[in-house]
Amino acid sequence: EDKVVQSPLSLVVHEGDTVTLNCSYEVTNFRSLLWYKQEKKAPTFLFMLTSSGIEKKSGRLSSILDKKELSSILNITATQTGDSAIYLCAVAAITQGGSEKLVFGKGTKLTVNP
Amino acid sequence: DTGVSQDPRHKITKRGQNVTFRCDPISEHNRLYWYRQTLGQGPEFLTYFQNEAQLEKSRLLSDRFSAERPKGSFSTLEIQRTEQGDSAMYLCASSLGGWNEQFFGPGTRLTVL
């Protein structure tokens, strides 16, 4: 069965710290890996990583895909209290029926204290 | 607001009742997805549509659940004979084409008493 595992499940840091969130996956027919940020409402898109784009960066956030190790990391530098959220990792895969699906991990709850 | 919208935002119902949720995707998006999210879990895929065709249904979608997207625009998710285990946040998302980023709506929080 396809699965996505994130670690740690929760993390508490102080403003200014750098954090690394981990995501590993076991899926058949991998297509892409996506990171989302979820505050109190719906997930908002951060990055999509594919075989042709294994590293992305946006401001203080960056992400790398390691297809050999079947994993990805999300780095946040100089954290701010506004970074407090649940960070979700999701993998797009092809089902046995030939359709597509998105499998999410449980998320990492990040708390940034002032 | 041109994002994904869902209605209602909250629904409280008694066990055994039927409920229906609506999702309006971003207008040019041809793909629409439904997910369920419970506390401490990531969203779990339920089903998705490409235009009006329902292309995939998760095993989570029991025969009490039905989803439609009759004109390829908005979609409805109906749960019949609700059970307490149906209590969750139901999220809708849309995307343009294949596995591009999915834009999520604010969700409908269902509480079954």
Side-chain angles (χ1 to χ4, degrees):
Chain A
E1 185 176 340
D2 296 333
K3 64 179 180 179
V4 176
V5 178
Q6 293 186 245
S7 64
L9 291 181
S10 67
L11 188 57
V12 180
V13 300
H14 292 290
E15 265 192 321
D17 288 351
T18 293
V19 297
T20 298
L21 311 182
N22 301 287
C23 175
S24 63
Y25 59 89
E26 290 180 28
V27 299
T28 53
N29 299 309
F30 170 90
R31 296 294 294 270
S32 60
L33 185 145
L34 300 92
W35 284 97
Y36 285 85
K37 177 181 181 182
Q38 186 172 28
E39 295 172 269
K40 293 185 179 179
K41 299 180 188 175
T44 53
F45 175 80
L46 294 175
F47 298 117
M48 184 169 79
L49 302 157
T50 66
S51 300
S52 58
I54 61 172
E55 186 168 356
K56 294 283 178 73
K57 182 176 172 63
S58 176
R60 297 178 294 103
L61 276 66
S62 63
S63 182
I64 298 173
L65 174 67
D66 187 337
K67 285 206 70 181
K68 184 178 178 182
E69 297 296 327
L70 306 183
S71 65
S72 175
I73 60 171
L74 176 68
N75 280 321
I76 308 175
T77 59
T79 52
Q80 303 170 356
T81 55
D83 295 327
S84 296
I86 295 172
Y87 290 83
L88 295 166
C89 173
V91 173
I94 304 293
T95 68
Q96 289 183 341
S99 292
E100 300 173 353
K101 65 177 181 179
L102 205 59
V103 181
F104 280 86
K106 292 185 177 182
T108 293
K109 182 177 181 180
L110 174 65
T111 303
V112 182
N113 291 323
Chain B
D1 188 350
T2 56
V4 179
S5 63
Q6 293 187 245
D7 182 71
R9 297 289 304 279
H10 302 275
K11 179 71 176 178
I12 299 174
T13 191
K14 292 182 179 179
R15 191 174 51 188
Q17 298 294 305
N18 298 343
V19 294
T20 300
F21 311 141
R22 177 181 170 122
C23 171
D24 286 88
I26 294 172
S27 59
E28 64 268 25
H29 285 185
N30 59 346
R31 289 200 172 187
L32 186 149
Y33 312 82
W34 284 99
Y35 294 88
R36 182 174 69 185
Q37 187 175 26
T38 53
L39 196 62
Q41 303 292 321
E44 297 173 291
F45 171 78
L46 293 178
T47 187
Y48 89 95
F49 294 83
Q50 179 158 308
N51 300 313
E52 65 274 10
Q54 188 173 16
L55 296 188
E56 183 77 12
K57 287 175 25 173
S58 163
R59 287 173 294 178
L60 293 174
L61 216 63
S62 76
D63 56 5
R64 296 186 297 107
F65 288 71
S66 62
E68 293 182 343
R69 195 183 183 197
K71 297 182 180 179
S73 56
F74 74 91
S75 175
T76 58
L77 177 68
E78 181 183 14
I79 308 174
Q80 296 181 326
R81 304 181 303 281
T82 52
E83 302 173 355
Q84 287 185 325
D86 297 331
S87 296
M89 175 76 85
Y90 289 84
L91 293 166
C92 174
S94 70
S95 70
L96 183 62
W99 289 101
N100 297 309
E101 67 175 279
Q102 295 181 21
F103 291 84
F104 282 82
T108 294
R109 182 168 293 283
L110 173 67
T111 302
V112 181
L113 301 176

